[in-house]
Amino acid sequence: MPGSPGRRAGRRRALALALLALATCAAPARPPGKPPATTAATADTTATTGTAPTVDAKDTVDAQDTVDITPGTCGTGWQHPRPGPQRFALRNGAAVPVDARLTDPRTGAVYGEVEGVAPGTTRPLRVRLGAGSYAFACLPEDGDAVTGPVVRLGGHAAPGPAARPVTRAELIPATLDYQRWTARQLAGLARATAALRTAIDHGDRAAARRAWLTAHLGYARLGGAYGAFGAAGRAVDGTTAGLPGGVHDPRFTGFHRLEYGLWHGEDGPALRRCAARLDADVRALGRTWDQTRPAPEALVRRVQEIPEDTLHLELAGRTDYGSGTGRATAGAQLDATERVLEPLVPLLRTRYPGLAELRRRLARTRRDLEHAQHRRLDADFGDLVERLAEVAAVCAVRRAA
């Protein structure tokens, strides 16, 4: 299930832009596709580098302070510091795009950020301030980071949520753990596709269908590695999307090609060749995986992309070629999500207060996969997509300020 590259590109950008929607961590489930309500701890992050719009009249009126994020004057203009919700207008007078963060200068924890403020434009940033010290960090494109003056607020008000940025070095152990696990799973997958090939060679359709499901679910549980598989992954689990010949296109191979054949009465040499090709492709994946070095950033993205694909592909029936096993595949992809999340938990314990609630929602989704109606599952996975987007934002590797 390679997913939709066009849709993913926007999602990946959104993860880099959306900062820590932690104040919504314990919010009730939302219908799929409905954006979460904006909170005081959430940055307005609708634009991309080089194309950010200027702040409209309402944004200008609402902003308490206009703060310069030009490297030479980073953090100046904050004239009225006070506790509670604040809306800054971040103004970039530099000749290059600038990322801006409001940080705790002592710990580096980030309260809010806006990425890619274009030259000559202004972007809003909403945060909730409490007692403590604050400083803006300005990170120009292709330039050194600059930290502005420290602003201290007294009193006893609690600040909004913040999280210390995750470093690439912190993600490497999680990535290595997942790489070793995937290697073991690929060895088991090769045994499963060999059994599938044997059943098809013997003409035992019932056994072949059972073996197909076992092998396909095994592949679905490898969701965190799909991006690293590349073209080899598309050969193993690609669909007819983009193929002019549809199910009869010679480039349609792998699990779904066999699914179509097994559930549409196909037999003979063509089906046996497909099974042999799948078996060979899976074994090739195992050999090349030993030389593959997955990027930690890619693993973080996959924690949200796996349930997103489940929602838009499996639960929508877009990957069903006759077996009717979409719900079983969704369960395997939920396994994949939890497996990618597992090595990130040590990083999340001190950064993501919604971790316990996320685990409860994962457990509820698993229960609903057994009995719930389709609409309930859509809501479950839509809710997980939003929560895991927060996880991915918290764990995203950021430039050092």
Side-chain angles (χ1 to χ4, degrees):
M1 186 216 21
S4 171
R7 177 168 50 83
R8 285 236 184 103
R11 276 287 185 188
R12 288 170 181 164
R13 185 64 179 169
L15 289 181
L17 298 176
L19 172 79
L20 316 179
L22 302 180
T24 65
C25 289
R30 295 175 286 267
K34 180 180 180 181
T38 301
T39 70
T42 305
D44 184 332
T45 55
T46 56
T48 58
T49 302
T51 60
T54 56
V55 172
D56 61 26
K58 182 178 184 300
D59 288 334
T60 304
V61 170
D62 289 349
Q64 279 99 27
D65 285 293
T66 298
V67 176
D68 278 337
I69 59 171
T70 305
T73 56
C74 179
T76 60
W78 188 355
Q79 302 294 329
H80 306 96
R82 61 178 179 78
Q86 292 212 21
R87 181 184 176 91
F88 297 100
L90 304 184
R91 180 174 58 200
N92 178 17
V96 296
V98 176
D99 301 342
R101 304 173 190 160
L102 183 62
T103 68
D104 180 331
R106 181 179 61 85
T107 66
V110 179
Y111 288 93
E113 73 176 356
V114 178
E115 185 178 86
V117 182
T121 63
T122 303
R123 295 273 299 283
L125 171 66
R126 300 179 181 88
V127 293
R128 180 180 295 277
L129 303 180
S133 298
Y134 301 88
F136 278 96
C138 306
L139 298 87
E141 186 177 277
D142 300 324
D144 295 332
V146 177
T147 299
V150 175
V151 174
R152 294 179 175 85
L153 294 181
H156 304 284
R164 181 172 54 84
V166 171
T167 67
R168 203 169 194 275
E170 288 177 301
L171 283 173
I172 288 176
T175 307
L176 292 176
D177 171 83
Y178 192 81
Q179 183 181 25
R180 290 189 291 266
W181 178 84
T182 299
R184 295 192 297 271
Q185 300 308 304
L186 282 170
L189 180 61
R191 292 190 292 272
T193 54
L196 170 59
R197 179 182 181 179
T198 298
I200 289 176
D201 286 346
H202 290 168
D204 189 338
R205 185 174 301 275
R209 286 179 172 181
R210 292 192 298 270
W212 178 91
L213 182 59
T214 298
H216 189 242
L217 295 184
Y219 183 81
R221 294 187 180 98
L222 300 177
Y226 289 160
F229 288 160
R234 290 190 291 274
V236 167
D237 202 44
T239 68
T240 55
L243 300 180
V247 295
H248 303 295
D249 196 294
R251 290 169 294 179
F252 182 35
T253 63
F255 279 112
H256 292 302
R257 170 64 182 88
L258 280 174
E259 177 187 10
Y260 178 81
L262 288 171
W263 272 269
H264 287 84
E266 185 179 351
D267 55 19
L271 196 64
R272 291 194 292 272
R273 284 194 299 271
C274 289
R277 165 75 184 274
L278 174 63
D279 189 31
D281 285 343
V282 166
R283 292 179 187 279
L285 270 184
R287 290 191 299 271
T288 58
W289 184 253
D290 291 338
Q291 309 303 318
T292 302
R293 297 294 179 265
E297 296 87 347
L299 187 67
V300 168
R301 288 195 301 267
R302 289 301 296 157
V303 77
Q304 181 249 347
E305 289 175 347
I306 298 169
E308 184 183 32
D309 284 340
T310 304
L311 178 65
H312 293 287
L313 298 176
E314 270 64 40
L315 294 181
R318 293 169 60 189
T319 56
D320 184 2
Y321 287 85
S323 68
T325 58
R327 186 173 291 212
T329 304
Q333 288 166 349
L334 190 63
D335 294 340
T337 302
E338 292 180 321
R339 186 60 187 82
V340 174
L341 181 65
E342 181 182 326
L344 300 177
V345 166
L347 302 176
L348 293 169
R349 286 196 181 103
T350 58
R351 291 177 169 91
Y352 184 59
L355 182 59
E357 181 62 22
L358 171 61
R359 284 171 160 163
R360 284 191 287 271
R361 298 302 177 102
L362 286 163
R364 186 184 72 179
T365 302
R366 188 169 298 283
R367 291 193 300 270
D368 286 348
L369 277 167
E370 297 295 325
H371 306 293
Q373 295 180 347
H374 190 86
R375 184 174 298 179
R376 176 63 177 269
L377 288 176
D378 283 350
D380 285 343
F381 276 91
D383 179 66
L384 288 180
V385 168
E386 292 184 9
R387 293 176 187 276
L388 290 166
E390 296 167 3
V391 167
V394 169
C395 292
V397 176
R398 289 173 170 82
R399 283 178 60 190

